[in-house]
Amino acid sequence: MTNFVREASRRISVCRDVDVIVAGGGPAGIAAAVSAAREGASTLLVEQHGCVGGVWTTGMLSLILDFENKNGLMAEIVSRLEARGAGYNNERGGQVYDVEAMKLLLEEMCVESGIEIRLHTRVCAALTDETGKLTHLVTESKSGREAWQAEIFVDATGDGDLAAQAGCGFDLGRPEDGLTQPMSLMVLLTGLDKQQIAPWVHSFKPNDGIEKRSLLQTMKNAGITPSYLSPILLQLHDNLYAMMANHECGVLGVSADDLTRATLRARGEVNRIVETLRASGGVWGNLKLVATGAQIGVREGRRVHGLYEITREDVISGKRHDDAVCRVTFPVDVHSQKEGKAFDHGGVKAQSYDIPLRALIARDVPNLLLAGRCISGDFWAHSSYRVTGNAVATGQAAGVLAARCAANGESPRELARQTVHQLQPCSTV
Ligand SMILES: Cc1cc2nc3c(=O)[nH]c(=O)nc-3n(C[C@H](O)[C@H](O)[C@H](O)COP(=O)(O)OP(=O)(O)OC[C@H]3O[C@@H](n4cnc5c(N)ncnc54)[C@H](O)[C@@H]3O)c2cc1C
């Protein structure tokens, strides 16, 4: 086998020229695209999977965290889910939702706002001009290789794929060894009686995690120890539950080999857990697995360098900024990279702190914005702001800024200085 081959250069047709292109249709990408379109920008959203929503839908997350102090699009999504009976606030600290209803709602929001969506299409390259400005992104799909042109681009791929392809600097994993947080594969379950299962269902009422400990003990008693030692069971509606019970350690979300290995192992493990619980009988006797996520949940990818890096010190001190786009109220949440341990928070205690708009502006490419978990921050800060309430808020801010830049012909860094106050979509109270 030779180590390298050379691919012949080829002409690629340019499919569209729009104001704003958003790469990745997860919570951050949806928010960015809808906000840009509502500001009047012609907007294209490119998503690799067959639905939008990212970890909310293909990842079957089922729980929105750190959303309560966010108005704007986050509040709109929550109220529209509740209006169709597809979501409820779990009393304290989480909005539970029905995964299928979320898929449909997000698609409807995209269509209503006039976004052009391209599903089943992966961003695989970026073209820049002599000034370093991004001119086109290149995609691969069933239609082959295609190029798409825009004034402003938003990287909402979670892993910073577009930024990396465009030549941005980034960090990945812990500074000492590059390890990232483990991955987990979500599972939907049915066949449980609402009254009988209550002691195992995560309630979010102030308690000491008794339901999670009961679930772990029940699994152990049945004969299986899950790789995630703080397993969680959520009730989505009458007879539908979501469970997270596995940890895939030592794998990277930016390696296709790692993703493949982790997915195969995780799907095997969660099936074994369900079979073992069912075999234990009693309240679990009719347990059935409805679905596993089409995409394993990746907690951590590239953290792209921005004009500002949110740091551990910001989190500890509760840093405020004049250009805040939202306030994070979620704690540091590091799932342990060590097998046999659930968390590794390193004693870091967060106070509520701000995400500044500068953390969404790529340092190395002038017309590229960042949204969601790939924004600019260090390992510890990322473990706190990564949850989806903040992903939506950063997406909304990036989308508004992108549309205004495209309309005014100004760069994000020029415009952000002038219009900071109109870009605060989310309550900072
Ligand atoms: C197991 C797990 C449990 C979690 N628990 C919670 C929780 O309970 N509540 C909570 O709020 N948050 C939770 N989080 C955190 C949260 O899910 C993420 O940080 C959040 O998804 C960030 O949103 P995002 O839009 O940045 O990324 P993602 O949801 O990852 O979306 C990225 C999107 O981009 C697409 N994409 C990626 N690369 C490309 C490409 N090259 N071309 C085209 N499209 C691409 C993906 O398919 C995806 O749709 C959890 C995360 C994991 C993994």
Side-chain angles (χ1 to χ4, degrees), residues 24 28 47-49 54-55 61 63 65 123 157 161 297 373 386 388:
E47 165 57 42
Q48 65 183 351
H49 289 304
V55 80
L61 196 59
L63 179 66
L65 292 171
V123 176
T157 60
D161 284 11
R373 61 184 166 84
R386 69 186 168 87
T388 53

Side-chain angles (χ1 to χ4, degrees), residues 22-31 46-59 61-67 93-95 97 118 120-125 138-140 155-162 165 182-186 204 232 234 244 246-247 295-300 330 333 335 371-375 382-383 385-392 394:
V22 177
I30 286 287
V46 180
E47 165 57 42
Q48 65 183 351
H49 289 304
C51 66
V52 290
V55 80
W56 270 348
T57 54
T58 18
L61 196 59
S62 316
L63 179 66
I64 305 170
L65 292 171
D66 209 2
F67 73 99
Q95 177 77 17
Y97 64 87
R118 175 59 99 74
H120 302 289
T121 300
R122 171 181 279 270
V123 176
C124 62
V138 179
T139 58
E140 281 284 358
D155 187 337
T157 60
D159 297 320
D161 284 11
L162 174 59
Q165 283 146 1
M183 300 177 192
S184 297
L185 184 68
M186 296 296 299
F204 291 98
I232 178 171
L234 290 164
M244 185 169 78
N246 83 294
H247 262 179
Q295 167 74 59
I296 193 167
V298 175
R299 290 189 171 82
E300 211 187 327
F330 198 68
D333 182 27
H335 287 240
R373 61 184 166 84
C374 62
I375 66 168
H382 171 275
S383 78
Y385 63 65
R386 69 186 168 87
V387 292
T388 53
N390 303 306
V392 171
T394 55

Side-chain angles (χ1 to χ4, degrees), residues 394-415:
T394 55
Q396 179 165 348
V400 172
L401 182 60
R404 292 187 190 169
C405 287
N408 297 348
E410 285 180 290
S411 74
R413 95 180 44 186
E414 285 160 354
L415 200 65

